[in-house]
Amino acid sequence: MLSIALPKGRIAKETLEIFEKIFGEEFKFEDRKLILQTDGFKFLLVRNQDVPSYVLHQAADIGVVGLDVLEEKDEDLVRLLDLGIGKCKVCVGACVDKELDYSLPEITIATKMSNITQKFFSKKAMGVKIIKLYGSIELAPLVGLSDAIVDIVETGDTMRQNGLKVVETIMDSSAHLIANKNSFIEKKDEIISLYEKISKILE
Ligand code: PRP
């Protein structure tokens, strides 16, 4: 039995569709239930940012999570496979009419992703003041809370509709299959077998 942490929303849905294709049965969470128990798997529905914690502490053997979250959390996990779903970018964004001055001694950035932001501006040898937010990041520069943002861009609609532009792309992201290090030893055969089945479907 493998337990699998999935991030609520579209990635969970698309991951379950991959499992349906492989095993020829329906995998669907009932209404508001957060656990889906089948013959071979126990699926857990968690918040995207929480997937690494469930897997790190072995509450789940494996998980599916965006590379952006993996980079941000930087936990000691086994990265197995890029599922190629949930594609997006992590970008620096600013108001369309504003030129970002990278020569400033310090820039104020609103973001959910403090670590990615810190690393990115450190590499540029720039001081950064981070304002940690939990959502609606695009609002911050519009009302003077920050000079710019670091956030996920998928279609680009949220930035566009709020008068923001992408200044620079920090990284590309997509959903990855990850495993707990102990589970990867204890349940190696099961995990490798699943890994091979998923790789085959993705080809
Ligand atoms: C994410 C992200 C952007 C938006 C980007 O927010 O933080 O706001 O999606 O998508 P787009 O480029 O297709 O417009 P999410 O929907 O997760 O909500 P949040 O504001 O609560 O983070």
Side-chain angles (χ1 to χ4, degrees), residues 42-178:
K42 185 184 191 175
F43 295 100
L44 314 176
L45 207 51
V46 312
R47 273 296 292 267
N48 191 28
Q49 288 89 341
D50 295 335
V51 171
S53 303
Y54 278 84
V55 178
L56 182 71
H57 301 293
Q58 218 175 2
D61 299 306
I62 60 176
V64 173
V65 66
L67 188 61
D68 55 312
V69 175
L70 284 180
E71 289 295 321
E72 176 63 24
K73 303 274 177 190
D74 199 20
E75 303 281 21
D76 196 12
L77 298 159
V78 184
R79 290 185 192 185
L80 292 172
L81 183 66
D82 181 355
L83 297 177
I85 57 176
K87 284 189 179 162
C88 61
K89 290 174 190 293
V90 177
C91 297
V92 180
C95 295
V96 276
D97 53 3
K98 183 170 176 174
E99 281 315 311
L100 262 199
D101 185 0
Y102 279 157
S103 68
L104 283 174
E106 188 178 76
I107 188 168
T108 303
I109 300 284
T111 188
K112 285 184 260 203
M113 293 171 277
S114 316
N115 294 330
I116 290 176
T117 303
Q118 189 72 58
K119 264 190 214 157
F120 179 75
F121 286 98
S122 294
K123 271 192 200 147
K124 288 189 183 294
M126 271 181 84
V128 60
K129 182 180 163 199
I130 293 170
I131 298 184
K132 169 100 179 171
L133 297 178
Y134 296 89
S136 299
I137 316 294
E138 291 83 354
L139 183 60
L142 303 179
V143 293
L145 181 60
S146 67
D147 298 314
I149 61 170
V150 168
D151 199 19
I152 298 293
V153 177
E154 204 180 320
T155 59
D157 287 345
T158 310
M159 279 213 190
R160 237 181 336 266
Q161 289 181 26
N162 290 290
L164 301 183
K165 65 182 174 196
V166 170
V167 176
E168 208 168 332
T169 296
I170 299 179
M171 64 177 286
D172 289 305
S173 179
S174 55
H176 280 56
L177 188 67
I178 57 167

Side-chain angles (χ1 to χ4, degrees), residues 16-25 27 201:
L16 290 173
E17 284 168 7
I18 294 176
F19 275 79
E20 288 179 351
K21 272 191 204 154
I22 295 172
F23 298 99
E25 56 178 295
F27 293 111
I201 282 279

